[in-house]
Amino acid sequence: MGTVDTQCFEFISRGDESPKDSDYCLILGEDAMEPFFRCGDMVYITRSILPEEFQPGVFMYEGKVICRQWCEDYSGTLHLLCPERKNAALNITIPRSERGKCLCLGSVITRRPLPPPDYCT
């Protein structure tokens, strides 16, 4: 599959403080998910559940592992979104024809569902 850019995350071992339904955790290396998660925050991931639309997930695309909210439009285009408009330049749009190049690595465990980005409603 090639090399993976680890600039945006760091894999760490699951510890005793980890939620019991988590499979692994990541330390984020970017602020793309502000205000919910910031650079340096640890997020817990479950592989068994794909994130619901507009919920955060961890994705591998073009050799990078990223954390984003996601949605799919009417044409099958996948959108990996940042929650705040100020970070919208970090959004990723993947045409339906390239969806096979994006792999969902799991769903981020949150205390409650995240709202869709305000610029998407």
Side-chain angles (χ1 to χ4, degrees):
M1 180 176 247
T3 61
V4 176
D5 179 356
T6 59
Q7 177 180 352
C8 296
F9 74 97
E10 176 186 348
F11 280 111
I12 60 173
S13 300
R14 190 176 171 281
D16 293 337
E17 73 286 352
S18 302
K20 65 180 179 179
D21 52 347
S22 67
D23 293 308
Y24 63 97
C25 44
L26 299 174
I27 296 176
L28 299 179
E30 64 177 2
D31 285 328
M33 287 298 293
E34 284 185 333
F36 304 108
F37 309 109
R38 297 189 181 345
C39 182
D41 283 353
M42 184 182 312
V43 294
Y44 296 94
I45 315 301
T46 180
R47 288 186 197 134
S48 61
I49 302 172
L50 293 176
E52 292 186 29
E53 192 167 56
F54 291 114
Q55 294 311 301
V58 174
F59 303 89
M60 181 178 286
Y61 181 65
E62 294 185 342
K64 295 181 181 179
V65 175
I66 54 173
C67 180
R68 298 286 192 282
Q69 289 178 278
W70 75 276
C71 72
E72 180 180 359
D73 68 19
Y74 66 91
S75 68
T77 299
L78 179 63
H79 301 275
L80 302 178
L81 305 171
C82 299
E84 291 192 338
R85 184 181 308 270
K86 72 176 186 172
N87 292 327
L90 299 174
N91 290 349
I92 298 170
T93 300
I94 303 169
R96 183 181 192 148
S97 62
E98 294 185 24
R99 292 269 307 255
K101 296 178 182 179
C102 181
L103 176 64
C104 181
L105 301 177
S107 181
V108 175
I109 298 171
T110 59
R111 294 177 198 245
R112 57 184 156 294
L114 302 186
D118 64 358
Y119 58 90
C120 291
T121 54

